[in-house]
Amino acid sequence: MTAIAVLGSTNMDLVAYVPKAPRLGETVTGREFRTVPGGKGANQAVAAARGGGEVVMIGAVGADGFGVRLRSALTAAGVETAALRTVEGASGTAHITVDDEGGNSIIVIPGANARVTGLEAGDDSRIGAADSLLLQLELPLSAVLAGALAARAHGVRTVLTPAPAQPLPGELLAATDLLVPNEHEAAALTGLTDSYQAAEALLHQVPEVVITLGPAGSLYAARGREPLTVPAPRVRAVDTTAAGDTFVGALAVALGEGRAMPEGLRWASAAAALSVQRPGAQDSMPARAETDALAAAGTLPGACA
């Protein structure tokens, strides 16, 4: 079983489902409201655990009802939460609007996540025992950098999701093995809207890049290799929240199991395709058997250069 450490955020997602998202100054009537455990770090942890990984979550929740529920959700998914601290104040929240096309817009309030400014006792050894460390940008950059440097010191693969998009310090990029932005984040990091050009530019800073392209699949680029694209299965999206996190968690499991990148990308795409057909973040993430079944069904197109 592949071992995965996640240093990242936990949020309670407050989700409003609407026929069409409101424009600035507009009021619309929604059809449903749900509170769903989320946060990019916790999402990736759950996706990896459901994919068959042995996962430890490093982060913080608040001393409130949301914190209790967030911890419980991770535990129920099989994620180790001994390194998920409880701090005074509110847990993080994400305020999400989902429209009938499955698109979403999100406002994140960091809450307890903002208190995670570095590693604490035991975190270094937890990272060192992992095959991969998953990082995102919903924690302070000081913590993200500390985690990346610890992983580099232990020879652990560092997978960074640069979201929310922001300028990244060179020291963090130098300690990143695999960067996984979506096409919008790749454009924000490089100023290039063409994903192939953006990937080429990013390879000057990191050795490997996977750019997720939504319904179009994913693009993989590595130094000294031809780019590779893997189309996504065609499905009707109900809610795309956490599709990227599902992809990253599943990909980390696949790579930790020694699968080649093309196979890993196809398997991760199957997991993401299953997730977008269900509402919510962690609630939508598939079990390993489901991902195996879709990937084996032959409905995923092959990779192409």
Side-chain angles (χ1 to χ4, degrees):
M1 181 178 290
T2 185
I4 296 170
V6 181
L7 174 60
S9 59
T10 55
N11 294 320
M12 184 61 74
D13 292 349
L14 312 177
V15 190
Y17 293 91
V18 297
K20 185 178 180 181
R23 295 169 296 179
L24 186 65
E26 180 183 14
T27 299
V28 301
T29 299
R31 65 173 184 276
E32 185 181 359
F33 173 77
R34 301 179 68 197
T35 58
V36 184
K40 295 194 70 64
N43 289 344
Q44 291 182 5
V46 169
R50 289 190 180 158
E54 184 177 289
V55 185
V56 58
M57 179 73 199
I58 304 171
V61 295
D64 56 7
F66 283 166
V68 173
R69 187 174 166 194
L70 290 167
R71 183 183 298 277
S72 176
L74 286 165
T75 301
V79 177
E80 170 58 55
T81 60
L84 183 66
R85 284 86 186 186
T86 298
V87 300
E88 290 301 318
S91 297
T93 54
H95 304 253
I96 304 173
T97 300
V98 179
D99 64 26
D100 278 350
E101 300 301 315
N104 63 69
S105 58
I106 305 173
I107 300 171
V108 174
I109 310 297
N113 298 301
R115 303 275 295 276
V116 184
T117 57
L119 301 182
E120 295 193 14
D123 291 346
D124 183 84
S125 61
R126 292 182 178 97
I127 292 170
D131 299 304
S132 296
L133 172 67
L134 306 188
L135 298 166
Q136 321 77 37
L137 300 178
E138 289 184 344
L139 296 183
L141 271 176
S142 58
V144 178
L145 178 57
L149 293 176
R152 178 53 53 91
H154 288 287
V156 173
R157 179 192 293 112
T158 302
V159 181
L160 173 62
T161 303
Q166 58 185 280
L168 299 177
E171 192 177 11
L172 175 58
L173 289 168
T176 297
D177 296 302
L178 175 61
L179 188 69
V180 190
N182 64 26
E183 54 193 322
H184 307 294
E185 292 151 3
L189 290 172
T190 64
L192 301 168
T193 55
D194 180 272
S195 294
Y196 283 89
Q197 294 178 1
E200 183 178 356
L202 290 169
L203 288 180
H204 292 291
Q205 300 174 294
V206 296
E208 292 184 288
V209 177
V210 172
I211 299 178
T212 58
L213 307 172
S218 59
L219 165 65
Y220 170 66
R223 293 171 183 169
R225 297 180 59 180
E226 289 295 316
L228 177 77
T229 58
V230 174
R234 295 182 180 180
V235 298
R236 183 183 181 279
V238 171
D239 183 354
T240 59
T241 304
D245 295 330
T246 303
F247 179 93
V248 171
L251 181 60
V253 172
L255 296 179
E257 293 175 348
R259 304 191 199 195
M261 184 62 77
E263 181 187 356
L265 292 172
R266 283 192 288 269
W267 198 74
S269 292
L274 289 164
S275 76
V276 302
Q277 297 177 73
R278 306 163 181 170
Q282 294 170 24
D283 288 352
S284 72
M285 294 174 176
R288 183 185 181 98
E290 296 176 282
T291 303
D292 285 342
L294 178 56
T299 56
L300 287 172
C304 58

